[in-house]
Amino acid sequence: MGCTLETSIWLLISVLVMAVLIILGAIRAPDAPGRKAFTLSILFALSWTAAVLARHSSSDLEFKIWACKFAWFGIIGTPLYWSLSFLTYARGRGAEKRWQLASIGLISAAFGILALTNDWHNWMYIRLIDERTMLFEHGWLYQAAMLFAYSAMAIAFVLGLTLTIRARGIHRWQLWALLASAFFPLVGNVSYTAYGFTIFNDDPTPFIFAATGAFMLGAQLFGQLFVLPPIGRDAIFEVLPDPVIVLDAEDRILELNPAAATLPGMPRQAIGSSLATQPEFAPILQAPASSDGERSEIKLGDQGIFEVSAHSLTPWGRRGGRMIVMRDISLRKAAEERMAALSRDLEMRLHENVELQNLLREEASRDHLTGLYNRRHAQDILPALLQGASARDRVAVTVVDIDHFKLFNDRYGHQTGDTVLKLFAKMLTEELGDNGQAFRWGGEEFLVILPDCDRNEALVHAARWQQRLCATYIPGVNDLALTFSGGLFVARGDQVSLEEAVKAADTALYAAKAAGRNRMVTFGEYAGLQQPEKKSIALPR
């Protein structure tokens, strides 16, 4: 079946359109690894296909032979640029170098020029065997060129297949597309060279390249080819800021990244060195290897604190090997210590504040002269005591008043009066102990609370107070005795409030003063005494 001029033109137009679309897609993509080499491989494939189609569109034998020779620019450039593009893209470490692109261009140009000058040396073609199929007897340069191109493709295929299998997700799809774009043309070329398989009585390779162009368009549009390029794992390993060290079962270094190479004490020729011989790294070797990367913290000399995780390499065929990942947490630890110090300081300040508040509260509830709790504090705590008492509980409420206190102030001055108040308060405190509470109620009056105390027990306490006061010496006072008058009320249960109990005791105190002072009177027991005027109050029974 022959290839007419019209068919050649349409094939050439379709190849041109797909090539332009593929090249535009590659150019518009980010500067991904392999993009430039891929674009050049398409351009060289286009020149190859154009040479084949031009040869079919002409009946001039000399032009056909020239087209066969011109095709060698594409025959060599296409597989070499594709191999460079595929390996660079699959590894994902960085864009291809200019010298690589220029070297392939020079090699392609050299073979193309040698092919065009074949009449001078006959290294490429010795003679034309069949004018219809343009079959030549090949020279040694042809064999060398095909071996060179096939070898480059084979190496790229083997290495690329390994990288493709290791890839994940969309990157694997992209690499399969690149492999397919060269695999089928390579099969077609081998079939033509070894078995004489032809399309339109000629080498099928450029036509298969044209057919795979549609597949490459799909890879660009749907597979984001050159838009989402893979990043090589070794590149990630290189730029990782955390030190990573790979050890075998004997703690010899198999691999390490630049961050680990800068650790103090790391040998200059680290690969193959034993980490066990470096005392600085002894804490690292003690980190247990586990599959889940259990972390531990170590201090590495003066280099700070590191978080270390040792990952077993047994699942990857390295029995006894491990990968140690270190992370410098010195700054984090310093920040944690600062936070802990600030927390302790804050806690101390809060404690001091609480103590200060308690002190201020205590001072506000104390009488500064006698040291006893004051009336305000009594009014805060005693209602709960009375209201919380059961029906069987008895609470003795006593109001006592120092007799003739005004005479102490008038004759001997307020300083002596203050001394009298302090002596009286001291006596009450010592006598009561833990059995009761005394409050300075106001002026020379004191409120004494005796829990779980009946009338007789309260009167015994009062008699003891009076005996002790009689023996008390007041410096500078010789003509006045220290005595007191008191009123007693015994509250039962929760029958009365503090206000009612104090009023009752105060009424009894008035009766004691009216009866001549220096005595204790129980509320309601006024027989034989001068009755207090307008002091009676009604109490619940």
Side-chain angles (χ1 to χ4, degrees):
M1 176 180 175
C3 180
T4 64
L5 177 61
E6 183 179 358
T7 302
S8 298
I9 292 175
W10 281 112
L11 281 173
L12 182 59
I13 292 174
S14 63
V15 170
L16 281 171
V17 171
M18 282 189 291
V20 169
L21 292 176
I22 293 172
I23 292 171
L24 287 177
I27 292 175
R28 294 178 61 186
D31 193 14
R35 180 177 67 91
K36 296 182 180 68
F38 178 77
T39 303
L40 290 172
S41 71
I42 298 299
L43 286 174
F44 274 76
L46 178 60
S47 70
W48 186 4
T49 305
V52 173
L53 294 177
R55 185 177 64 206
H56 282 283
S57 64
S58 176
S59 58
D60 185 354
L61 181 60
E62 292 296 327
F63 179 78
K64 287 185 175 182
I65 295 175
W66 180 88
C68 288
K69 296 175 181 178
F70 181 79
W72 277 95
F73 289 96
I75 292 173
I76 299 298
T78 299
L80 294 184
Y81 277 122
W82 178 89
S83 299
L84 177 62
S85 171
F86 179 75
L87 291 178
T88 305
Y89 190 78
R91 293 180 67 191
R93 296 194 62 179
E96 57 273 47
K97 306 296 188 296
R98 290 184 179 180
W99 68 267
Q100 296 172 326
L101 299 173
S103 298
I104 293 176
L106 291 175
I107 293 172
S108 303
F111 277 99
I113 292 172
L114 288 172
L116 290 175
T117 59
N118 184 74
D119 293 342
W120 299 349
H121 46 72
N122 292 325
W123 294 347
M124 189 71 71
Y125 300 123
I126 298 176
R127 64 185 179 89
L128 180 63
I129 298 176
D130 187 350
E131 294 183 8
R132 185 178 63 86
T133 60
M134 298 304 293
L135 182 63
F136 292 88
E137 180 183 353
H138 302 134
W140 69 269
L141 186 60
Y142 177 91
Q143 306 297 337
M146 297 309 296
L147 179 62
F148 180 68
Y150 286 157
S151 298
M153 293 286 287
I155 293 173
F157 261 96
V158 172
L159 295 178
L161 187 61
T162 303
L163 295 173
T164 301
I165 294 174
R166 291 173 57 189
R168 297 290 183 269
I170 193 173
H171 297 143
R172 176 179 287 183
W173 197 93
Q174 293 172 348
L175 297 181
W176 279 121
L178 284 172
L179 278 175
S181 69
F183 175 76
F184 293 108
L186 178 62
V187 171
N189 188 261
V190 172
S191 300
Y192 170 72
T193 304
Y195 304 105
F197 174 74
T198 62
I199 295 179
F200 302 128
N201 293 324
D202 210 319
D203 184 358
T205 307
F207 299 102
I208 299 176
F209 262 121
T212 57
F215 189 68
M216 295 309 299
L217 281 176
Q220 286 183 320
L221 294 175
F222 303 106
Q224 300 292 298
L225 184 64
F226 298 115
V227 176
L228 299 176
I231 303 298
R233 297 184 181 182
D234 51 351
I236 297 174
F237 186 73
E238 291 291 323
V239 302
L240 194 66
D242 298 328
V244 180
I245 307 172
V246 181
L247 303 175
D248 64 5
E250 284 74 34
D251 293 329
R252 291 189 298 260
I253 300 175
L254 300 177
E255 188 60 85
L256 76 167
N257 66 343
T262 60
L263 290 174
M266 184 64 67
R268 180 171 297 180
Q269 300 296 330
I271 304 299
S273 300
S274 176
L275 206 62
T277 61
Q278 307 299 323
E280 298 91 337
F281 298 101
I284 297 178
L285 299 178
Q286 296 172 3
S290 61
S291 58
D292 57 357
E294 182 180 353
R295 292 174 173 82
S296 59
E297 294 181 3
I298 65 170
K299 183 174 177 58
L300 191 60
D302 297 332
Q303 300 306 309
I305 303 174
F306 287 82
E307 184 181 71
V308 178
S309 58
H311 305 259
S312 174
L313 297 181
T314 301
W316 287 272
R318 293 279 187 176
R319 185 175 300 277
R322 51 185 170 163
M323 179 176 68
I324 297 176
V325 181
M326 304 169 59
R327 174 164 295 176
D328 190 346
I329 58 173
S330 301
L331 294 178
R332 191 184 78 188
K333 282 295 183 181
E336 290 177 355
E337 290 179 1
R338 287 196 298 270
M339 290 297 295
L342 290 174
S343 178
R344 290 191 299 268
D345 183 66
L346 179 60
E347 184 178 357
M348 182 179 67
R349 291 178 182 273
L350 288 175
H351 180 69
E352 291 175 352
N353 189 30
V354 170
E355 289 185 342
L356 179 59
Q357 290 180 358
N358 292 335
L359 179 60
L360 293 175
R361 189 180 298 111
E362 181 74 8
E363 290 182 353
S365 63
R366 291 277 185 182
D367 173 54
H368 297 290
L369 179 63
T370 63
L372 299 177
Y373 284 113
N374 55 26
R375 181 171 186 161
R376 177 181 177 181
H377 187 66
Q379 291 173 334
D380 288 339
I381 67 169
L382 293 182
L385 175 65
L386 293 175
Q387 296 300 319
S390 64
R392 294 177 298 174
D393 292 338
R394 295 164 299 178
V395 179
V397 180
T398 303
V399 177
V400 296
D401 182 273
I402 299 175
D403 293 334
H404 306 295
F405 180 74
K406 189 173 183 298
L407 291 178
F408 286 98
N409 280 331
D410 292 343
R411 291 186 184 182
Y412 301 102
H414 291 282
Q415 185 175 0
T416 300
D418 292 344
T419 300
V420 170
L421 292 173
K422 288 189 284 186
L423 288 173
F424 190 75
K426 181 181 178 182
M427 179 275 299
L428 288 176
T429 302
E430 293 175 353
E431 286 292 329
L432 291 173
D434 297 330
N435 299 321
Q437 290 180 289
F439 305 86
R440 186 178 180 188
W441 196 244
E444 65 271 24
E445 282 190 350
F446 294 83
L447 176 67
V448 181
I449 302 297
L450 298 170
D452 195 23
C453 185
D454 59 15
R455 169 186 175 278
N456 294 331
E457 292 171 337
L459 291 177
V460 169
H461 281 291
R464 190 165 60 248
W465 303 342
Q466 287 173 329
Q467 291 175 358
R468 184 165 174 179
L469 282 180
C470 289
T472 300
Y473 170 72
I474 305 174
V477 178
N478 299 316
D479 57 345
L480 289 176
L482 184 57
T483 62
F484 71 89
S485 301
L488 170 65
F489 174 76
V490 179
R492 296 180 179 274
D494 57 351
Q495 297 177 351
V496 296
S497 65
L498 174 65
E499 182 181 0
E500 293 171 333
V502 171
K503 282 185 178 180
D506 194 51
T507 300
L509 170 62
Y510 183 78
K513 288 184 176 183
R517 293 184 173 85
N518 193 21
R519 67 190 65 206
M520 196 76 178
V521 174
T522 304
F523 176 76
E525 299 179 4
Y526 307 131
L529 300 175
Q530 181 178 346
Q531 297 296 318
E533 298 178 3
K534 301 178 182 180
K535 287 289 184 178
S536 61
I537 59 173
L539 293 174
R541 298 293 181 184

